[in-house]
Amino acid sequence: MRLPYQRRPLHDLPDTPEAYDAVLADVTEQALARLTPEGSLEHPGARLDVGDTSLGVTSLLALAWQRGRDPRLPAAVHRSLAFHLRERVHTDDNPGYPNLRIRNSGLPYARYVLKAGAHPLGDWPSTVWALLQAVNVLDAADGLLGDEQRTALLELAHGYWRRLTEATFFNPQEAGNQAIGCVVGGLMLAPHLPRDEGESVRARALALYTDEIRARRVRDRGALLPPEHGGAYDNNYGPISLSFLAQAHRVSGEEVFAEDGDTLARYIDARLTGGGFDLGGPRYSEQHSGFESVLGLRYFSGRIRSDLGRYRGDTRWARHAAQADGGIDGHFAWMLVWQIQDTSRWHREPSARPARHQLRSGTVSVAFDDHMTPSLIEAGGTYCLPAAVDRQHGFGPVLDGFLFCRPMGVVRVRDLNADGLTAKLVTKPVVGRDHVLRHVRSLYVTDGTRLWVTVALERLDGAPYLLAGLPYAADDGDRVRRTARAEAVSAGGMRLTHPAAEGVDHFDARAELTQEQAAFELAADPRVYGNPDEGWRHLVSSTALEAGPAPGAPEGLHVFAVRYGPGPDGSFTPALEAGEGGLTVRTEAFTAVIGEASGDPLGEPELTLFV
């Protein structure tokens, strides 16, 4: 089976002016065929995210008119805008909406579901989206809208802003993408207002960003990130937040948006595999955005000089939101407007500078979590997740059901490039059940095609093994498919094990079940409202690669050696030797010496590497 959401890298989509004109031409024909006598441009099958979508298609028609002056479009824009002003503006409080600061304010808002009281929780973001659709139409109003419609739309947009910032609590879902979107709406609205009002709105937008978003950032993998639905990062909404930061910087010129965007972009770059696969987050575990991410990934790829566009988006939404029949939906239409207006181009080369939480070269990459334990390993076109044993998740030595990967102290990292090889040495102190402190040294070396991993620690009593990953997904053309196998070999023998027990908390990679589905089943709250990352942490056991100790390890050490990716044959026989310089590891491709840091006054681990 193929994974449903992660498809082609987003930078594979043509983004020339001619390509965008073709997109707008298609939108135009769909919209003109759909336009009802009442003026609605909503998709007839839409039930959720409806309150702003007709206006979203209107904004695309306004942009198309700006670029091509199609004589059919002014009448369609006037009629559809009149529909929104007449039928989709609500001023009475939605029954059951819990996040009001002021009741019966009379300020306008957009509904997530049209029926009163049906699903009021989504009204705050829907109002943000309606504000953004409105300001995009206002930006295209010259020569298109009459004074009466323009004045009514401006009053509505200002009312949306006041609803979001005065009548309701700000950012009630703790969703960074929604909150930054609201700030962008204020920044884009301000120039359309009289000077004093505009300056007040701009100042309020900047203050909200500083006090309500930036001050509440959450740290993950060394980066401060806008919180997303209660977590640090979501692989669907995180890149959407990056797009909002790009637009905020474009329209305001304020450097804080560029700085925070650079931080988020470098974080995404570090956690993303070279093949563009990623998963995890407090809202959706594997779902990926499509066109909504393009602006931010493209804009900041140039700023941080890295190929962020390798991100595998859901290309069913490659250009605009669509319903099941492929027909356009106006949801998030402003992102298509902005990416068409933006003149930045993709940066397609990987970053040349090493990143603490990433090892990457060629078709091999390792993403590391906060504890510098691999969160994703990519080699040979296969992606491995951290495996689970006895409710413990990670990558590292295991003895009697105890996984040695959680640090008890400072984790030290050393990066090295030599003779076409890229390496990272991670040293962490770990305490076992016997309360003994052991130093786990993990060396990762790649030539861009294969990955060698060597893990050494003080000798353990008993029969330990290395938990070496959960084979989960593999490249399949321009898609990603599920797998339960990985091309890997161990010096001490490798076995692929599957859970003996059944149940959702035992993940068998051979089953037709995605990580996302299992994570939501394990979450405490219903799907979409639950936190799949928290749910996945309840996993008891999983399919796992288990590597035995390498023979010939120096006295007093257990050493595990694994090679991922294609090899000349199925054997792997590294030589291991202890000496004054440290532990020497000789493989068919390189020799590495892992030092003891005796000569470094800072105590940093030493690493020597040569072919």
Side-chain angles (χ1 to χ4, degrees):
M1 60 179 289
R2 286 173 164 176
L3 297 179
Y5 304 106
Q6 303 201 37
R7 298 176 179 233
R8 293 170 58 193
L10 289 178
H11 63 200
D12 286 352
L13 298 169
D15 64 346
T16 61
E18 294 77 16
Y20 283 132
D21 283 337
V23 172
L24 289 175
D26 177 59
V27 169
T28 294
E29 297 308 320
Q30 285 194 53
L32 293 177
R34 178 187 300 172
L35 186 64
T36 68
E38 296 79 19
S40 174
L41 288 169
E42 293 163 0
H43 190 285
R47 296 292 178 268
L48 308 177
D49 287 307
V50 178
D52 67 297
T53 58
S54 180
L55 186 59
V57 180
T58 301
S59 73
L60 292 173
L61 295 182
L63 178 64
W65 181 81
Q66 264 194 331
R67 291 169 68 90
R69 291 299 196 267
D70 186 329
R72 300 173 297 172
L73 293 181
V77 169
H78 298 164
R79 207 161 107 203
S80 59
L81 179 55
F83 167 81
H84 182 83
L85 292 169
R86 184 180 68 249
E87 303 290 343
R88 292 296 177 256
V89 178
H90 298 271
T91 55
D92 53 325
D93 295 347
N94 201 348
Y97 187 70
N99 297 311
L100 292 173
R101 298 177 62 206
I102 303 171
R103 297 191 180 277
N104 302 312
S105 66
L107 292 170
Y109 67 95
R111 284 185 176 170
Y112 177 71
V113 175
L114 297 179
K115 183 179 178 181
H119 196 317
L121 281 173
D123 289 354
W124 200 86
S126 287
T127 304
V128 175
W129 310 156
L131 168 61
L132 295 171
Q133 316 284 25
V135 293
N136 277 337
V137 175
L138 287 169
D139 283 349
D142 288 347
L144 182 61
L145 297 184
D147 291 343
E148 185 177 345
Q149 270 197 330
R150 186 186 183 282
T151 298
L153 182 59
L154 180 58
E155 290 177 353
L156 175 63
H158 196 191
Y160 283 149
W161 171 255
R162 293 187 57 204
R163 181 82 179 199
L164 293 164
T165 59
E166 297 175 21
T168 68
F169 291 99
F170 184 79
N171 191 20
Q173 295 183 23
E174 295 183 357
N177 75 97
Q178 299 172 10
I180 305 171
C182 182
V183 167
V184 171
L187 294 173
M188 295 183 69
L189 170 66
H192 292 285
L193 296 169
R195 181 175 178 179
D196 289 347
E197 282 185 302
E199 289 178 354
S200 175
V201 168
R202 178 185 170 91
R204 176 69 170 142
L206 294 175
L208 284 169
Y209 183 76
T210 300
D211 299 338
E212 300 295 334
I213 302 172
R214 199 164 198 265
R216 300 173 187 270
R217 288 178 298 171
V218 179
R219 185 176 296 278
D220 186 50
R221 307 187 194 193
L224 284 171
L225 308 171
E228 190 54 66
H229 287 283
Y233 176 81
D234 183 279
N235 64 5
N236 180 48
Y237 291 118
I240 296 175
S241 286
L242 191 66
S243 288
F244 281 127
L245 288 169
Q247 182 67 2
H249 185 240
R250 289 182 68 237
V251 300
S252 74
E254 294 289 337
E255 196 60 24
V256 66
F257 298 117
E259 293 171 359
D260 291 354
D262 289 348
T263 298
L264 178 54
R266 290 192 178 100
Y267 171 89
I268 294 173
D269 186 40
R271 70 172 289 144
L272 200 61
T273 57
F277 177 80
D278 186 25
L279 80 172
R283 184 68 184 275
Y284 295 119
S285 189
E286 290 186 86
Q287 294 190 34
H288 269 44
S289 49
F291 76 100
E292 315 100 295
S293 301
V294 167
L295 173 65
L297 294 171
R298 190 175 67 193
Y299 191 83
F300 286 100
S301 72
R303 285 187 56 90
I304 71 167
R305 312 297 293 172
S306 191
D307 56 337
L308 292 177
R310 68 187 188 275
Y311 176 94
R312 283 187 181 266
D314 188 341
T315 50
R316 292 172 300 182
W317 278 29
R319 298 302 193 181
H320 49 68
Q323 290 292 323
D325 63 358
I328 186 172
D329 185 311
H331 188 45
F332 274 40
W334 21 269
M335 283 295 192
L336 177 57
V337 172
W338 300 341
Q339 65 169 278
I340 292 175
Q341 293 171 336
D342 177 47
T343 58
S344 63
R345 301 273 66 88
W346 290 111
H347 181 87
R348 297 179 179 276
E349 298 298 323
S351 174
R353 71 178 200 175
R356 178 179 174 90
H357 294 90
Q358 178 194 60
L359 174 74
R360 183 182 171 206
S361 176
T363 59
V364 173
S365 56
V366 184
F368 296 87
D369 64 15
D370 250 346
H371 298 317
M372 289 305 298
T373 298
S375 61
L376 266 175
I377 292 177
E378 173 195 23
T382 299
Y383 304 96
C384 291
L385 311 180
V389 57
D390 287 356
R391 302 183 186 275
Q392 302 162 93
H393 300 199
F395 175 102
V398 177
L399 178 65
D400 297 332
F402 183 83
L403 174 60
F404 291 82
C405 77
R406 293 171 298 282
M408 183 63 71
V410 175
V411 179
R412 298 177 184 270
V413 178
R414 172 150 292 189
D415 290 284
L416 187 64
N417 288 284
D419 298 326
L421 300 171
T422 304
K424 187 182 294 287
L425 175 63
V426 177
T427 303
K428 62 175 74 172
V430 176
V431 174
R433 287 199 177 110
D434 56 5
H435 298 268
V436 174
L437 185 69
R438 293 176 173 85
H439 292 82
V440 179
R441 293 173 289 170
S442 302
L443 173 64
Y444 306 85
V445 181
T446 180
D447 62 358
T449 302
R450 296 162 292 176
L451 173 69
W452 292 266
V453 178
T454 307
V455 179
L457 77 165
E458 291 85 350
R459 193 164 191 86
L460 300 164
D461 294 330
Y465 64 89
L466 181 75
L467 195 65
L470 158 62
Y472 178 69
D475 291 334
D476 184 13
D478 62 356
R479 297 286 299 278
V480 178
R481 61 176 168 81
R482 286 277 284 103
T483 188
R485 301 178 61 84
E487 197 170 1
V489 61
S490 166
M494 178 78 81
R495 58 187 177 267
L496 179 65
T497 66
H498 304 285
E502 295 183 356
V504 69
D505 52 354
H506 301 277
F507 188 82
D508 191 327
R510 298 170 298 181
E512 290 195 1
L513 184 72
T514 66
Q515 187 270 352
E516 176 186 315
Q517 291 168 328
F520 270 113
E521 290 229 16
L522 291 165
D525 297 309
R527 183 179 174 82
V528 179
Y529 303 103
N531 183 333
D533 275 3
E534 285 186 357
W536 188 249
R537 282 192 280 270
H538 293 299
L539 192 69
V540 176
S541 66
S542 74
T543 292
L545 293 168
E546 298 179 357
E555 185 177 356
L557 289 179
H558 261 125
V559 179
F560 305 90
V562 177
R563 185 184 66 216
Y564 299 82
D569 52 46
S571 64
F572 180 41
T573 55
L576 307 169
E577 181 183 340
E580 290 186 4
L583 174 64
T584 299
V585 180
R586 291 188 177 88
T587 73
E588 73 278 16
F590 64 87
T591 297
V593 181
I594 304 172
E596 300 292 344
S598 57
D600 190 332
L602 299 177
E604 294 296 328
E606 295 179 348
L607 176 62
T608 305
L609 182 68
F610 53 90
V611 174

